[in-house]
Amino acid sequence: MDKLSAIIAFIKVAETGSFTGAADKLNLPKARISQRIKDLEGELNVRLFERSTRAVRITAAGDEYLKECRTLLNHLSLVESNLKGDKNALSGKLTIDALSPFLRWVIAPFINEFMLRYPDIQLNLKSSDCLVNLLQENVDLVIRGGILEDSSLIVRPLCLVPFQLYASPWVAQFLSDKRELSELENQKLISWFPDDETELRWLLHKQTDSQQIRSKFHIFVSDQDVALKIASAGKGICPGMFLAADSYVKRGELVPVLTDWTLAPRQVSILYPSKTHLPNKVKVFIDWMSEAVKRVDFTQKHL
C-alpha cells in the first residue's frame, strides 16, 4: 500500500463527504479511492468512515486521525519548500575538495573574487588526492587530475596541465639531453602522481618519439610541493607544473632537465553528483572555476 496516497485520499473523502467527490478532486476512479480507504483502515485496524447508501460520515477515530494527517502533510510541504529554497539559494556552506597544488596555485589566487561576488556562500576548502565519497564526506564537489575511472559522478574537464622534469643544479650537471632517456631508470626519481605509489611509470614524449620510464625504487610523496622540495635538496629528479616549480627555479634551487622531453599533460576535472538537482551555489562555483582557469597560462615552460 502506498500510505501517502491513501492518506491523501482519506483527507479528500473527509473534506468532500463522499467517495465520488474525492475521486473527482483527485481525478481517480471511485473504486480506487474506496480501495485506498479500505487498505488504510485495514492497516490501522480502525474504521475511519461510517458508510451508508446516502452519505459517508467520519468516525471519532477518523476525525482524530484527520488532524494528525493534516499536520503531517503541512510539515512535509514546509520541508519541501525549505529544500527547494536551499537548492536555489546562493548562500550557505559550500565544501570543495581539490588537489592541493591546484588549490594552492590556481584556486587561491582568484578565490577572493568569488567571495566578493557571492558573499553569502561560506567556502570550506579541503585538499586531497583520493576520490572521496561526496555523500559520506559531506562534500559538494571535487577537483581531480588524471584518468577518472569507475566513477558515478558527472565529470567536467577544466584544463590540461603539462609537466617538466626538475632536479637540483648538482644533480642536473650529470644529465644532458644527449644521454639515453632509459638511463633515467638508474637515477633517483621522485614522484607525487597517485598512480605511481607502487610503481613509477612516466610516459615521456619528444616530437614523434615516446618512451616509458619505470621504477619500483623511487621516492613517493603525496604532495607535489613536498616532492619538489626534496628534489631541491639534491635527492632526485621530480616532475612539476610550472606554477609549482617556478619559485624554486627563480631561487636557483631547481633547474629543468631533459627539456626536449615532456610528460603527457594531465586532465584536471571538476566532479559532482548530478546535473538535475544541483544547488545553485554549486552551479555558480563550477561556472566561476571554468572561467578562472582560462586566465592561467598552463603553457609556460622553463628553458
Side-chain angles (χ1 to χ4, degrees), residues 185-230:
E185 296 182 355
N186 300 320
Q187 303 295 319
K188 293 180 179 178
L189 303 179
I190 305 167
S191 182
W192 49 271
F193 295 140
D195 44 359
D196 283 346
E197 184 170 0
T198 302
E199 180 180 8
L200 180 147
R201 295 183 182 183
W202 291 346
L203 184 62
L204 291 99
H205 303 277
K206 179 181 179 181
Q207 296 177 353
T208 59
D209 190 10
S210 296
Q211 291 191 40
Q212 188 175 64
I213 304 302
R214 304 180 69 164
S215 173
K216 292 185 178 180
F217 303 100
H218 60 290
I219 300 173
F220 176 78
V221 186
S222 61
D223 185 277
Q224 180 181 180
D225 290 331
V226 175
L228 289 170
K229 185 67 176 178
I230 294 173

Side-chain angles (χ1 to χ4, degrees), residues 20 44 120 204:
T20 301
L44 298 171
D120 294 326
L204 291 99

Side-chain angles (χ1 to χ4, degrees), residues 3-22:
K3 184 169 284 188
L4 182 58
S5 296
I7 288 174
I8 292 172
F10 162 68
I11 292 174
K12 290 301 179 185
V13 172
E15 289 176 345
T16 61
S18 73
F19 287 85
T20 301

